[in-house]
Amino acid sequence: MFRFAIAALFGAISLTACAQQQAPVAAASATAPVADGPVEKHVRDALKQLDPNLQPEYIGAAPFPGFREVLVSGQVLYVTDDGRYLLQGTPYDIEKKAQATSAGLLAYRQRLLATLPHADRIVFAPPNAKHTISVFTDIECGYCRKLHQDIAELNRNGIAVEYLAFPRMGLASKDATDMISVWCASDRKAALTAAKTGQPVPARNCTNPVAMQYNLGQQLGINGTPAIFAADGTQLGGYVPPAQLKATLDRMEGSR
């Protein structure tokens, strides 16, 4: 309920991602301890005024003074230390020319992503990849298909792409059924490529990770596909052209 209230107040749709049908968010399975100092108490008390049942998954220092960064049902919010004001948005660090991110939130995202086994991902990787990105994808989304057309160029640029399933119309959709068929194919890479070119998906079923990956994507706050994450947990946006993506990853690598 809180997610829908926030969406009504602050809703925005990425121009380079296909929008997700709203759905309840599953409980986090790799939550970080929520900080318990006096400032965090102010924040928790303030949020409970909006919804008494609200349980933040993460509260930590924001990347700028005077605020706490809060993760609620996968949504990143910023609340003033006195608990009076709430903001939602993507802060930009003018000095670093990049999205402002906190070490605590990045570590939280890393922990969540690490719970998804590598063997359950569909991986397109060059030899000796310099960078690895995790991409929550949908087979119907136009921008997902555009990104997949860039796979060869991404690989030439030393970028490995690890796909995770995120059927944006929900787990009861035909899209989700088709994605299960892709993940159950004997050659998942070929099946995913065929599906993204609009070819019919032969029906298959098996023990598969589609629901787990989708639910974790919701915990990360994904509301559209593709959703690209760097290895350190930074969300890089929706569709990003290969040259721009490489430049961003190189810059991030050089700043460490």
Side-chain angles (χ1 to χ4, degrees), residues 15-26:
L15 295 179
T16 55
C18 301
Q20 174 205 356
Q21 183 181 58
Q22 294 292 341
V25 179

Side-chain angles (χ1 to χ4, degrees), residues 45 145 162 190 227 230:
D45 290 346
R145 293 183 174 188
E162 298 190 350

Side-chain angles (χ1 to χ4, degrees), residues 108 192 252:
Y108 173 82
L192 183 64
M252 291 171 59

Side-chain angles (χ1 to χ4, degrees), residues 63-64 90-101 251:
F64 40 83
T90 303
Y92 188 82
D93 188 323
I94 296 174
E95 181 178 324
K96 293 183 178 179
K97 294 182 173 59
Q99 292 182 6
T101 53
R251 183 173 64 248

Side-chain angles (χ1 to χ4, degrees), residues 87-166:
L87 304 173
Q88 184 185 46
T90 303
Y92 188 82
D93 188 323
I94 296 174
E95 181 178 324
K96 293 183 178 179
K97 294 182 173 59
Q99 292 182 6
T101 53
S102 71
L105 182 59
L106 291 182
Y108 173 82
R109 287 174 175 167
Q110 279 185 298
R111 282 192 292 271
L112 281 181
L113 287 167
T115 65
L116 299 176
H118 185 269
D120 287 343
R121 305 176 183 216
I122 300 180
V123 179
F124 292 81
N128 304 314
K130 183 179 180 183
H131 305 293
T132 298
I133 56 174
S134 297
V135 180
F136 286 85
T137 193
D138 176 279
I139 60 175
E140 296 289 341
C141 165
Y143 280 110
C144 296
R145 293 183 174 188
K146 184 173 178 60
L147 178 67
H148 196 67
Q149 292 171 359
D150 295 338
I151 283 289
E153 186 175 354
L154 290 167
N155 285 176
R156 282 194 298 271
N157 286 331
I159 301 171
V161 178
E162 298 190 350
Y163 279 124
L164 301 159
F166 195 84

Side-chain angles (χ1 to χ4, degrees), residues 175-186:
D175 189 27
T177 300
D178 286 345
M179 294 189 79
I180 288 171
S181 295
V182 166
W183 254 259
C184 290
S186 57

